[in-house]
Amino acid sequence: EAGVAQSPRYKIIEKRQSVAFWCNPISGHATLYWYQQILGQGPKLLIQFQNNGVVDDSQLPKDRFSAERLKGVDSTLKIQPAKLEDSAVYLCASSVETGTTNEQFFGPGTRLTVL
Amino acid sequence: GENVEQHPSTLSVQEGDSAVIKCTYSDSASNYFPWYKQELGKRPQLIIDIRSNVGEKKDQRIAVTLNKTAKHFSLHITETQPEDSAVYFCAAFSYSNYQLIWGAGTKLIIKP
């Protein structure tokens, strides 16, 4: 089966600019996650979707970050405006459904550098 | 909420020796504990997991043990090989918010 797809793989922007990331989960996976992974740290959950609804976004900095999954399939994560501390790898993952303990499958990530 | 602590942050072992990474969790309601391996520049990948109704699980050279009373679980890698070099993350599934709570990671270095 095809894995989780993400684009772009790399992005370099200046602070205060905007950026958007795209994720296409594994077909049939109802749950989609966006993680932020700063170098040398573990993944930090930003937002979790079940189909097109938000399950948890408590750690999403909502003044600058937004995410949507309008049709319950692919998703976009946006940062506007970006700050230096947003430099990180943004990982998208999917699993069969929330409320179970199924494996999360990760995409290759988008490495964001904010100058 | 759940909190997961992982030790050590870095572990260096001689090739062929065993490696042990330990994690503790705080939420007694957590019942699923996966371990992910992340090689440099790559995505995390599940290598083994354990559910709370089991005390130990083994898959070839890797094993995980769980002590529910003490709320800790460990990853054991035997006969380590160069390709085992990576960062290993433990995690605990919390039913309080249906989230996977991650440890900070252990960088495993296999010395030739």
Side-chain angles (χ1 to χ4, degrees):
Chain A
E1 74 186 356
V4 176
Q6 287 188 249
S7 67
R9 293 294 313 277
Y10 305 91
K11 189 75 177 178
I12 301 174
I13 61 173
E14 295 190 348
K15 59 183 179 183
R16 291 188 288 274
Q17 286 187 321
S18 302
V19 64
F21 312 128
W22 175 82
C23 172
N24 191 33
I26 292 172
S27 178
H29 280 194
T31 308
L32 185 147
Y33 315 79
W34 281 104
Y35 288 92
Q36 179 192 61
Q37 187 174 25
I38 293 173
L39 188 64
Q41 299 182 19
K44 170 190 167 186
L45 181 69
L46 293 175
I47 188 166
Q48 180 177 331
F49 292 96
Q50 172 78 2
N51 297 310
N52 61 349
V54 176
V55 174
D56 188 289
D57 63 357
S58 57
Q59 297 193 88
L60 187 73
K62 298 180 186 63
D63 57 333
R64 299 184 300 106
F65 286 65
S66 64
E68 60 183 15
R69 194 185 183 199
L70 293 176
K71 297 182 179 178
V73 181
D74 56 350
S75 174
T76 56
L77 175 70
K78 296 179 182 177
I79 307 175
Q80 180 181 8
K83 292 185 175 182
L84 296 176
E85 58 261 36
D86 298 332
S87 293
V89 174
Y90 290 84
L91 293 163
C92 179
S94 69
S95 64
V96 172
E97 62 182 272
T98 300
T100 67
T101 52
N102 288 324
E103 177 180 355
Q104 292 186 19
F105 294 84
F106 285 84
T110 297
R111 183 176 297 276
L112 174 67
T113 302
V114 182
L115 303 175
Chain B
E2 176 66 281
N3 181 51
V4 176
E5 294 190 357
Q6 184 172 347
H7 300 281
S9 56
T10 305
L11 178 61
S12 184
V13 302
Q14 206 68 38
E15 182 178 348
D17 288 351
S18 296
V20 181
I21 303 170
K22 299 180 179 180
C23 290
T24 60
Y25 61 99
S26 59
D27 186 351
S28 56
S30 292
N31 69 348
Y32 173 67
F33 307 92
W35 286 87
Y36 283 81
K37 175 183 180 183
Q38 187 173 30
E39 296 178 47
L40 188 64
K42 297 190 176 180
R43 72 195 78 184
Q45 291 192 300
L46 182 73
I47 54 170
I48 196 167
D49 55 18
I50 191 167
R51 299 179 193 274
S52 58
N53 59 344
V54 175
E56 183 173 0
K57 184 177 178 181
K58 195 172 181 179
D59 183 3
Q60 299 182 338
R61 295 187 298 108
I62 60 173
V64 57
T65 59
L66 171 65
N67 183 326
K68 285 176 56 180
T69 304
K71 289 190 277 190
H72 66 69
F73 56 112
S74 301
L75 177 71
H76 304 253
I77 306 174
T78 59
E79 301 173 16
T80 53
Q81 300 170 4
E83 54 264 36
D84 295 329
S85 293
V87 178
Y88 292 80
F89 293 97
C90 64
F93 185 80
S94 169
Y95 272 101
S96 61
N97 57 6
Y98 291 102
Q99 261 191 42
L100 201 57
I101 307 299
W102 294 69
T106 296
K107 183 176 183 180
L108 177 62
I109 301 166
I110 308 300
K111 296 181 290 187

